[in-house]
Amino acid sequence: MAEPGPQGNGLDSPVAAAAPVPGSGPVPRERPEQAEDRQREDADSDCSADSRSDYGSRDKPGTTLGRTVPDGNVLFPDIFYTDHLLFYERFSAYQDYILADCKASEVKQFIAEYLEKVLEPSGWQAIWRTNVFDVLVAVVDVNFPALKAVVQLSEPFLCESQDSSFTLECMQELLELKEHQILLQELFVVYDESGGFDQTALAIEHVRFFYRCIWRTWDEEEEDEFDYFVRCVEPRLRLHYDILEHRVPSGLVAEHQNLLSQCEELYEKFLNVRNSISSSDSDSEAENVSMVEGLKLYERVEHIKQRLKVIENPLLRYVFGYQKFGSLQAKGLRSTGAKVIHVVPWNMKADLLQQLTRDKLCPESCGALEIQFHRDPLAAVSACYEGDTVIICPGHYFVDGMFSIADSVELEGYGLPDDVVIEKQGKGDNFFDCTGANVKISNLKLVQHDAVEGILNVHHGKTTLENCVLQCETTGITVRTSAELLMRNSDLYGAKGAGVEIYPGSVCTLLHNGIHHCKEGILVKNFLDEVYEAPRITMVNNMIHNNEGYGVVLVRPAVPSEMKDASAQETTGCTQPTQAGAEAACAEGSRQEQPGCVTDELELCKRAQTSEQAENNSEIANVLGAASAKKRQIHRKRLSELGFTEADDNLMSQEMFVSVEGNQFKWNGKGSFGIFFF
């Protein structure tokens, strides 16, 4: 149980966790030229050191940190509460005071130098925590290069363990085996009201967090020409806090943990094989076998490391996505072969029942169908089998859960979308996940809150969305590889990511929809790799407007020649005019003409806008088609390298089918169409 520190303790400041004690603590690492600039700034400043930061100041007696009571049955003294630090507090500490621009091979040295400046070498107590026992120790010295503390058992002897074997004599023997030196990250500093050990507690917390959440055993083999903080620390730190704040899907979190465990295990095996080879002087067959085994392990480790880097990158983790619904199984048909109509009434009145019976429940072909009634939509969908239909009566339904539709099911609102509202309550990864062969959702308004993933994910099969309204929270609709979406006469808005994300190998048809007030309108992902087929896209008569970025954006790998061309265009000022610019030019021309020509000018403006919209549609179709052609060329080249000289019959099927007609793009922040290279 934690007790917060006093008000004004500085923990709301970005330097709270790392700020030095004025006059005695560390200063940020800096180059010589930076030091000269800093000295000039200090000379010109009238502010005293105390006015810059009161955190940990010796001039103000008393600690500024909170305290917490250790768990367990033994009455250990309270310890400092330091595991609550915010992202920017840890970020500032590692960047400015601990690691700076060090290389991977210099990490331990930089940490040791930092600890020498802030850590009290003796005179404090701590709880030594392991997976087996907790014991109270007193610190008598610190071995900074080894990042270890020299300790002795405190009096009285306090120890808590999973069994009773850890006696005083046993612990003394264990310490003698360790030469009384234990890792600093295993120590939790005992609370002290004086404030004299605040910096010690915080410094050990930074070391503990670093080796628990940031450092990987293979980091020492990273190439030294890269800045370790930028390449490794920052992305891993951001991922840690994204997970804490529920911004990463639980499936991706589980995959990340699984990959970490696999990589640790494989890397340990690789080190053992490498060490056995290096210690052997013979050139035997067994050593050759070990070398082959070592190479295979190395390749597997490198592959997993790359997958980890993708997840750690906040952009690529969503660009590449992940597969997590392979185990979701369809129920199939009932054993009797019967199909059921599931009715969800919010408040069933006689006249509504009569209308529903006439319109939906008693058509000529439905005489033998069974009808079931449910209180909420989630229960109705969960009870469905292949071929069932769910009819939701007008009402506002609050759902705490996820719709997983694995069978061919039709979900229909009885009325207008604004009359049949399904609103998600509670935090969760998903709202609607579809893997059925033929799923149809119509006449519904879906409202999403506190989500991590999009409002609708199509993982497999075909999903038809018709006459719906989607009020999004994160991304909107995601069409995964090998899935198909038909979206017609629907309205989507509010996504903090893209309104519609189209993955490679998918089929997406968008007809007569509105996509607006999202970060991006439509995001098309096309990767130049043989394992991905280009998406097949049809966009006809959609209104894409008021999005923060582009109306449509293509995500694709960067080709050096293309990057040079793009740079040259920027240099010469050869850029595509934006929608807003064209409208402004048109309006300016109207103002310069005489009043008698206003009607003609308005007609010219209208024609110009129509022409521009046609050009936008044509440009999107051409660029997407060119990306597909590039992929086709690469595929043909790879086949040629493998010795296949005959034309590939499936090659045309890999071409991105694009039909873009009659779409309108208005008031999008960056324009109608853009390309994002990665």
Side-chain angles (χ1 to χ4, degrees):
M1 182 171 60
E3 175 185 314
Q7 292 184 352
N9 60 6
L11 288 178
D12 292 333
S13 166
V15 297
V21 175
S24 62
V27 295
R29 293 180 180 271
E30 54 193 359
R31 301 181 182 89
E33 60 271 19
Q34 293 175 320
E36 295 177 3
D37 295 338
R38 179 182 56 79
Q39 290 172 0
R40 284 195 294 269
E41 291 174 1
D42 290 346
D44 296 336
S45 175
D46 294 330
C47 298
S48 65
D50 290 342
S51 65
R52 287 193 295 269
S53 175
D54 289 334
Y55 185 77
S57 175
R58 296 287 196 273
D59 296 336
K60 294 189 176 182
T63 180
T64 56
L65 295 178
R67 65 199 297 172
T68 183
V69 179
D71 297 330
N73 299 321
V74 177
L75 295 178
F76 284 113
D78 293 355
I79 58 176
F80 281 105
Y81 181 54
T82 57
D83 59 356
H84 64 302
L85 302 180
L86 302 178
F87 164 79
Y88 57 81
E89 293 174 325
R90 295 193 192 274
F91 183 95
S92 176
Y94 293 126
Q95 183 184 50
D96 297 335
Y97 298 96
I98 303 178
L99 300 175
D101 56 356
C102 76
K103 310 304 180 185
S105 60
E106 301 172 331
V107 166
K108 191 172 182 179
Q109 173 191 342
F110 272 55
I111 292 177
E113 292 175 0
Y114 163 75
L115 292 177
E116 285 188 69
K117 298 175 183 177
V118 299
L119 210 65
E120 294 291 341
S122 62
W124 47 280
Q125 288 185 309
I127 297 177
W128 176 21
R129 284 183 173 173
T130 69
N131 294 329
V132 182
F133 61 81
D134 292 359
V135 63
L136 184 65
V137 297
V139 176
V140 297
D141 198 5
V142 176
N143 183 350
F144 291 106
L147 305 184
K148 292 183 177 181
V150 181
V151 303
Q152 61 185 18
L153 295 176
S154 296
E155 295 181 1
F157 174 67
L158 294 178
C159 178
E160 183 173 29
S161 61
Q162 298 176 0
D163 54 56
S164 58
S165 61
F166 290 93
T167 61
L168 175 60
E169 292 76 15
C170 180
M171 293 304 304
Q172 287 176 338
E173 183 179 350
L174 178 61
L175 283 177
E176 289 175 2
L177 289 174
K178 290 180 168 288
E179 298 180 346
H180 288 264
Q181 294 192 26
I182 58 179
L183 293 172
L184 284 169
Q185 64 255 37
E186 295 180 356
L187 296 179
F188 292 80
V189 181
V190 169
Y191 181 79
D192 184 271
E193 295 181 348
S194 68
F197 299 110
D198 286 15
Q199 287 289 328
T200 296
L202 284 169
I204 292 178
E205 168 61 27
H206 289 315
V207 174
R208 177 167 44 249
F209 181 88
F210 176 80
Y211 282 106
R212 187 181 69 227
C213 302
I214 305 296
W215 181 255
R216 311 282 188 255
T217 54
W218 53 83
D219 282 352
E220 285 184 332
E221 299 191 7
E222 287 282 346
E223 298 177 5
D224 260 359
E225 60 264 27
F226 295 103
D227 186 326
Y228 180 73
F229 178 86
V230 174
R231 183 166 184 170
C232 297
V233 178
E234 182 177 356
R236 293 171 187 172
L237 185 63
R238 291 188 184 278
L239 175 63
H240 175 83
Y241 277 89
D242 284 345
I243 292 173
L244 284 183
E245 296 167 9
H246 305 288
R247 291 199 293 263
V248 181
S250 58
L252 194 56
V253 175
E255 181 180 355
H256 181 256
Q257 293 299 324
N258 184 43
L259 289 174
L260 273 179
S261 300
Q262 288 183 42
C263 203
E264 290 281 0
E265 181 180 350
L266 290 173
Y267 186 70
E268 185 177 356
K269 291 181 179 179
F270 167 74
L271 290 181
N272 292 335
V273 172
R274 187 173 67 177
N275 293 336
S276 67
I277 295 175
S278 60
S279 62
S280 175
D281 297 330
S282 64
D283 191 17
S284 62
E285 182 179 350
E287 183 178 351
N288 293 334
V289 172
S290 296
M291 291 183 66
V292 172
E293 181 185 357
L295 287 174
K296 290 181 178 179
L297 287 171
Y298 177 78
E299 291 177 355
R300 291 178 64 187
V301 168
E302 288 299 311
H303 176 69
I304 296 177
K305 284 167 63 176
Q306 292 304 316
R307 291 175 65 186
L308 286 170
K309 288 179 180 179
V310 167
I311 297 176
E312 290 165 358
N313 186 300
L315 172 65
L316 296 183
R317 81 174 68 130
Y318 296 110
V319 168
F320 286 92
Y322 65 103
Q323 301 296 326
K324 67 171 186 175
F325 282 90
S327 61
L328 187 60
Q329 298 295 325
K331 296 179 183 178
L333 290 170
R334 288 180 174 81
S335 58
T336 60
K339 296 181 180 180
V340 175
I341 295 179
H342 304 264
V343 179
V344 183
W346 175 256
N347 187 9
M348 183 64 73
K349 296 182 180 179
D351 57 344
L352 177 61
L353 180 59
Q354 184 178 5
Q355 294 176 12
L356 186 64
T357 302
R358 182 184 67 244
D359 297 340
K360 299 293 183 181
L361 303 183
C362 292
E364 295 180 359
S365 60
C366 297
L369 285 179
E370 178 184 344
I371 300 173
Q372 295 181 6
F373 290 86
H374 303 268
R375 182 61 181 169
D376 66 88
L378 188 58
V381 171
S382 300
C384 284
Y385 282 76
E386 181 78 14
D388 285 3
T389 300
V390 178
I391 299 175
I392 305 176
C393 296
H396 197 130
Y397 301 87
F398 294 92
V399 175
D400 189 357
M402 179 180 69
F403 289 86
S404 297
I405 307 177
D407 292 277
S408 296
V409 172
E410 183 173 346
L411 187 62
E412 177 184 355
Y414 184 59
L416 297 175
D418 287 336
D419 296 330
V420 189
V421 181
I422 303 178
E423 183 171 350
K424 181 173 176 59
Q425 282 187 327
K427 290 188 176 181
D429 288 351
N430 311 86
F431 197 4
F432 276 77
D433 283 299
C434 300
T435 60
N438 192 3
V439 177
K440 183 175 181 181
I441 303 173
S442 60
N443 302 329
L444 294 175
K445 180 176 182 179
L446 308 180
V447 181
Q448 183 186 34
H449 298 295
D450 293 327
V452 177
E453 292 195 57
I455 197 167
L456 173 65
N457 283 275
V458 186
H459 294 272
H460 304 292
K462 178 181 179 180
T463 295
T464 300
L465 195 69
E466 187 168 2
N467 196 31
C468 290
V469 177
L470 289 82
Q471 180 179 321
C472 306
E473 175 77 11
T474 51
T475 54
I477 300 174
T478 302
V479 191
R480 299 280 182 180
T481 301
S482 302
E484 180 178 355
L485 170 72
L486 169 58
M487 180 177 173
R488 182 191 293 121
N489 298 326
S490 296
D491 190 53
L492 184 153
Y493 60 92
K496 295 177 182 176
V500 179
E501 287 189 3
I502 305 173
Y503 273 71
S506 65
V507 179
C508 184
T509 303
L510 305 175
L511 308 174
H512 306 277
N513 302 292
I515 302 173
H516 55 97
H517 294 93
C518 303
K519 186 172 183 180
E520 307 285 353
I522 299 171
L523 184 65
V524 182
K525 300 176 179 180
N526 185 52
F527 309 120
L528 301 181
D529 196 298
E530 70 273 12
V531 300
Y532 292 111
E533 294 184 1
R536 298 168 61 86
I537 302 169
T538 301
M539 294 172 52
V540 178
N541 294 334
N542 299 284
M543 172 65 81
I544 304 171
H545 64 95
N546 288 102
N547 296 291
E548 181 181 339
Y550 292 101
V552 177
V553 60
L554 172 66
V555 178
R556 55 169 297 181
V559 179
S561 60
E562 294 175 339
M563 298 300 290
K564 290 180 181 179
D565 294 342
S567 176
Q569 287 185 3
E570 292 178 0
T571 304
T572 58
C574 183
T575 57
Q576 179 187 358
T578 62
Q579 175 74 16
E583 291 176 352
C586 183
E588 182 65 24
S590 297
R591 287 193 295 269
Q592 292 177 355
E593 296 297 328
Q594 297 180 2
C597 300
V598 170
T599 303
D600 293 339
E601 289 301 323
L602 289 175
E603 182 65 25
L604 288 174
C605 285
K606 185 175 181 180
R607 291 179 182 177
Q609 291 176 4
T610 302
S611 175
E612 182 177 2
Q613 297 294 350
E615 290 177 1
N616 289 336
N617 284 270
S618 177
E619 181 193 9
I620 293 171
N622 291 338
V623 173
L624 295 181
S628 175
K630 183 70 174 179
K631 173 185 171 59
R632 194 164 64 254
Q633 292 174 4
I634 291 177
H635 190 187
R636 185 180 290 111
K637 182 179 179 181
R638 286 172 177 167
L639 289 176
S640 177
E641 291 173 351
L642 293 173
F644 295 97
T645 56
E646 297 295 329
D648 185 2
D649 293 336
N650 294 325
L651 208 54
M652 289 305 297
S653 67
Q654 295 184 5
E655 183 176 358
M656 182 188 296
F657 174 79
V658 179
S659 176
V660 183
E661 299 177 1
N663 302 285
Q664 297 189 49
F665 302 88
K666 293 186 177 182
W667 309 299
N668 296 295
K670 294 183 179 180
S672 302
F673 179 67
I675 302 176
F676 177 80
F677 296 98
F678 68 91

